[in-house]
Amino acid sequence: MKKTKKIIGFHSGHDCSYCIFKNGIPVTHNELERFSRKKEHLGDALEFLFQSNDEWEDVKYFSQVIDNWKGGFIKRYPDTAKRMFDIAKNNKGNFYYFGHHQTHAANAFYSSNFDEALIITIDAGGWDFKEHNPRSYFDYTDKDIMPTTFTISLGKGTKIERLHIKDINEFNIGATWNKCLEEIFGLSTGYPYGNQAGTVMAMACMGDGDKYFNDFKDTIHTKNIDTTKFRQIVKNGNEQDKFDIAAAIQKATEQKIKEQIDYYIKLHKPKNLCLAGGVSLNSVLIGKLYEWYDGIVENICVPPVPYDAGLSIGVCQILWHDERFMNQPRIKWNDNSPTYLGYTYHEDSINEELEKNKDKIRYKKVDDNFVADLLSKDNNVISVFGGGSESGRRALGNRSILADPRNDKMKDIINEKVKHRQWFRPFAPSILKEDVKEWFEYDINSPYMTTVIKFKKEKRDKVPAVVHFDGSARLQTVTKNDNKWYHSFISKFKQKTGVPIVLNTSFNDREPIVETPEHAINCFLGTNIDYLYFRDVNILIERI
Ligand SMILES: [Fe+2]
């Protein structure tokens, strides 16, 4: 039998994560935050790996992105680094460093099904090799690297050619957003409460983007932006002022990014775009790309983990595909690259939790049909748990809270029962992929809930709980190949209601998405969610 080739990628620091590749395919991707229960947890990814039950002793290759000084992680975490080098040496393998944006770009492109694409990376900063086609180094010096927030590359087959890299001091939209979040809106930008840029995006849809546009249009990419004026406005003003400021920040961001990429779009006329880096979590911006480049760009891929926790996936992908390393052919995904890369929890661990909580809950065996029926009536809010947990920030049907999108009170009901979010934040729809063209203005692919586009006007009042104030939604498109259970469940809901859409929000209450059956029951008991459905074992739980 051919021996399995295993690679481990890891990312220490914030968004601490590791990823295991077998024969070029990601099979496990875990983020520390899901286990520590602190958002965007900082830590030593190797320690996290070595404490796991995964099989890593037979791994030959390890990789991660470069530090801002040579071998930084080795000095920071010497014991686990030594252990990693010992394993690699013992297995006659090696360790590799790749560039931060080089890795974001590879993760976006190799996770897509595109043979050719223009690749854009945007974030709040990472170190990368200056050279045009970065390879891997161990003995790099300060002269070889530079901090950057923005690159453009061209992907073709297994080759990725960098066209452009920007100096962090010239361009840093990610840092400006963080500054505005903290200083103007008093929001969090990372550990332990997570980055709350989504709140600003939601507010932006409610505001007049022109009112303060001139204040941001020339400074949105410079972290020297002066926030004093806006702090005062927010302090003394009303909610609409906040919305107008958010709208100006969003509009200036869109304009500045468009300015940067226009030239390359016109030059290369790419049918396919790939984006990664934290700023590509701006799902409104991703939707705008379809509008701006209508007639040129047909498909956009943002990978499941476009922010820094996805670097642990990207480094494995470079190592596997790049001709200077393992030189393996591209992988053709069945619809989309896999994203349910966390652990699956089996019947025993679920039963153990049921037993532990037997004085607080009652449960019964049901089938999916019964649950789809419950979902369609009585304002029910149902959490579902099953399969491997989702990689990335979005729950995509395996650790989700579901509700009926037809109910115009549902947003308030969910907020009251569990989520406690600001009234203006929208909830997202999961829709059968085959029905997107009938319900939305563009027939797009958005399997990881990365893109905001508008519902068709005539459909909006059919699903009021998932339509934002401007008619838009951040949709998840669902196929059988991506998630067989979820596709079948939404189909059952469609049979009953005529609507191929369910409201889907992550199964959590402000903390990271639930990971284990224990987290699921704790979250359920700590909130007023009506039912918890362990769908792998068809067990439906109610509170006593
Ligand atoms: Fe990044």
Side-chain angles (χ1 to χ4, degrees):
M1 209 173 77
K2 219 173 122 190
K3 204 165 163 8
T4 307
K5 287 185 183 138
K6 249 191 227 177
I7 308 170
I8 283 183
F10 59 97
H11 178 68
S12 295
H14 68 96
D15 291 319
C16 174
S17 69
Y18 69 86
C19 179
I20 304 178
F21 264 53
K22 278 188 193 163
N23 296 330
I25 295 178
V27 291
T28 304
H29 175 254
N30 278 321
E31 278 183 65
L32 181 58
E33 67 158 33
R34 298 290 173 85
F35 299 87
S36 72
R37 313 305 295 150
K38 300 263 191 309
K39 282 188 177 171
E40 299 179 32
H41 203 134
L42 296 105
D44 173 5
L46 284 173
E47 188 185 0
F48 179 37
L49 166 76
F50 294 146
Q51 284 171 352
S52 76
N53 294 320
D54 291 300
E55 292 168 19
W56 39 262
E57 279 291 351
D58 57 341
V59 170
K60 209 166 165 173
Y61 301 108
F62 289 85
S63 57
Q64 74 142 34
V65 296
I66 52 174
D67 296 83
N68 52 353
W69 77 93
K70 188 185 142 194
F73 87 97
I74 303 167
K75 287 165 203 146
R76 232 174 292 149
Y77 306 115
D79 296 345
T80 51
K82 181 178 181 308
R83 191 168 172 190
M84 186 264 296
F85 282 112
D86 286 348
I87 294 170
K89 196 176 159 199
N90 200 32
N91 296 340
K92 298 189 175 53
N94 216 336
F95 166 80
Y96 298 89
Y97 269 127
F98 295 104
H100 188 114
H101 278 252
Q102 175 192 17
T103 301
H104 276 315
N107 179 226
F109 183 55
Y110 295 136
S111 299
S112 80
N113 265 334
F114 309 146
D115 190 46
E116 289 184 32
L118 193 74
I119 312 163
I120 300 157
T121 62
I122 323 171
D123 67 7
W127 289 80
D128 219 295
F129 297 112
K130 288 178 189 167
E131 71 172 80
H132 208 52
N133 278 312
R135 54 190 173 91
S136 170
Y137 287 84
F138 191 75
D139 288 320
Y140 61 87
T141 69
D142 288 353
K143 286 198 200 86
D144 298 317
I145 61 175
M146 65 184 277
T148 180
T149 61
F150 184 92
T151 68
I152 296 188
S153 309
L154 208 52
K156 190 170 183 187
T158 56
K159 284 196 171 64
I160 297 177
E161 181 196 356
R162 187 197 280 160
L163 306 174
H164 183 68
I165 180 167
K166 269 206 184 317
D167 191 296
I168 195 168
N169 297 309
E170 268 172 48
F171 192 87
N172 199 342
I173 285 183
T176 307
W177 268 71
N178 285 343
K179 194 172 157 100
C180 292
L181 250 69
E182 285 175 358
E183 294 179 9
I184 300 178
F185 300 105
L187 293 168
S188 147
T189 56
Y191 177 84
Y193 301 111
N195 190 301
Q196 296 174 323
T199 302
V200 175
M201 272 177 257
M203 290 196 284
C205 288
M206 320 270 298
D208 169 6
D210 293 328
K211 192 168 169 191
Y212 299 112
F213 181 63
N214 285 339
D215 292 290
F216 291 99
K217 74 176 171 53
D218 298 321
T219 50
I220 192 71
H221 60 298
T222 65
K223 53 186 165 184
N224 307 324
I225 197 163
D226 183 5
T227 57
T228 322
K229 172 180 166 185
F230 299 102
R231 276 208 300 270
Q232 277 308 317
I233 296 173
V234 165
K235 204 171 148 205
N236 304 327
N238 56 30
E239 204 159 41
Q240 191 58 45
D241 290 318
K242 269 198 205 179
F243 296 161
D244 294 341
I245 296 167
I249 292 171
Q250 177 69 26
K251 187 174 172 183
T253 299
E254 290 168 8
Q255 181 173 302
K256 190 51 74 181
I257 289 171
K258 186 167 186 297
E259 255 173 39
Q260 297 301 321
I261 62 177
D262 260 350
Y263 168 79
Y264 294 94
I265 301 270
K266 282 182 186 132
L267 185 67
H268 296 281
K269 298 197 171 38
K271 199 171 106 182
N272 305 313
L273 279 186
C274 293
L275 286 98
V279 177
S280 67
L281 287 168
N282 192 316
S283 45
V284 176
L285 166 75
I286 305 298
K288 286 280 164 68
L289 294 166
Y290 283 103
E291 287 177 26
W292 297 337
Y293 304 117
D294 198 0
I296 302 172
V297 172
E298 290 174 24
N299 311 296
I300 299 174
C301 175
V302 179
V305 199
Y307 54 96
D308 285 359
L311 294 170
S312 58
I313 305 173
V315 287
C316 297
Q317 289 170 311
I318 300 177
L319 201 50
W320 185 256
H321 292 299
D322 193 298
E323 64 181 359
R324 295 162 293 186
F325 304 99
M326 296 169 88
N327 193 24
Q328 297 293 317
R330 290 286 298 279
I331 291 159
K332 177 83 188 151
W333 307 108
N334 279 331
D335 294 345
N336 299 291
S337 66
T339 184
Y340 302 95
L341 299 173
Y343 296 134
T344 299
Y345 296 84
H346 297 291
E347 198 161 1
D348 289 351
S349 55
I350 294 168
N351 286 337
E352 203 179 297
E353 292 306 317
L354 296 179
E355 182 60 26
K356 238 199 265 174
N357 293 285
K358 65 182 176 196
D359 53 337
K360 298 185 202 119
I361 56 174
R362 65 169 164 260
Y363 54 91
K364 60 182 173 192
K365 278 266 183 190
V366 296
D367 60 12
D368 292 347
N369 218 8
F370 182 87
V371 179
D373 199 47
L374 272 184
L375 197 71
S376 68
K377 61 190 188 193
D378 301 333
N379 297 336
N380 282 323
V381 175
I382 303 177
S383 48
V384 293
F385 183 105
S389 59
E390 295 89 341
S391 294
R393 295 264 160 85
R394 312 284 170 233
L396 301 168
N398 285 9
R399 305 284 187 278
S400 285
I401 295 171
L402 307 182
D404 188 342
R406 298 170 302 160
N407 185 335
D408 62 354
K409 306 269 181 315
M410 194 43 89
K411 226 173 96 169
D412 295 339
I413 294 169
I414 297 178
N415 269 329
E416 198 190 304
K417 284 183 176 174
V418 51
K419 297 292 284 198
H420 309 110
R421 300 207 300 199
Q422 299 97 327
W423 64 272
F424 52 81
R425 293 203 56 191
F427 286 105
S430 297
I431 177 168
L432 300 177
K433 173 72 182 80
E434 54 271 32
D435 288 311
V436 173
K437 57 182 172 304
E438 202 181 311
W439 286 75
F440 284 92
E441 287 183 354
Y442 290 90
D443 183 13
I444 64 159
N445 195 33
S446 175
Y448 317 120
M449 222 184 242
T450 51
T451 311
V452 170
I453 55 169
K454 291 203 165 131
F455 269 104
K456 286 185 174 172
K457 283 204 173 69
E458 68 272 21
K459 295 291 188 189
R460 292 176 192 174
D461 61 352
K462 293 189 185 346
V463 284
V466 291
V467 183
H468 201 21
F469 297 93
D470 61 353
S472 69
R474 192 186 66 209
L475 71 163
Q476 176 196 359
T477 56
V478 183
T479 72
K480 243 182 238 178
N481 283 325
D482 288 347
N483 190 330
K484 195 171 164 222
W485 177 83
Y486 201 28
H487 187 273
S488 147
F489 185 79
I490 302 172
S491 301
K492 288 185 171 70
F493 187 79
K494 182 185 176 185
Q495 275 162 23
K496 288 174 203 302
T497 63
V499 171
I501 296 170
V502 298
L503 180 156
N504 172 12
T505 184
S506 51
F507 188 3
N508 61 346
D509 175 13
R510 292 167 286 197
E511 80 286 8
I513 301 175
V514 303
E515 167 67 26
T516 66
E518 183 185 11
H519 301 157
I521 291 191
N522 287 345
C523 181
F524 173 70
L525 289 173
T527 61
N528 288 312
I529 299 169
D530 297 291
Y531 299 95
L532 164 56
Y533 183 41
F534 282 108
R535 59 155 166 94
D536 294 338
V537 289
N538 298 103
I539 286 176
L540 186 74
I541 296 178
E542 277 180 89
R543 236 171 253 101
I544 288 177

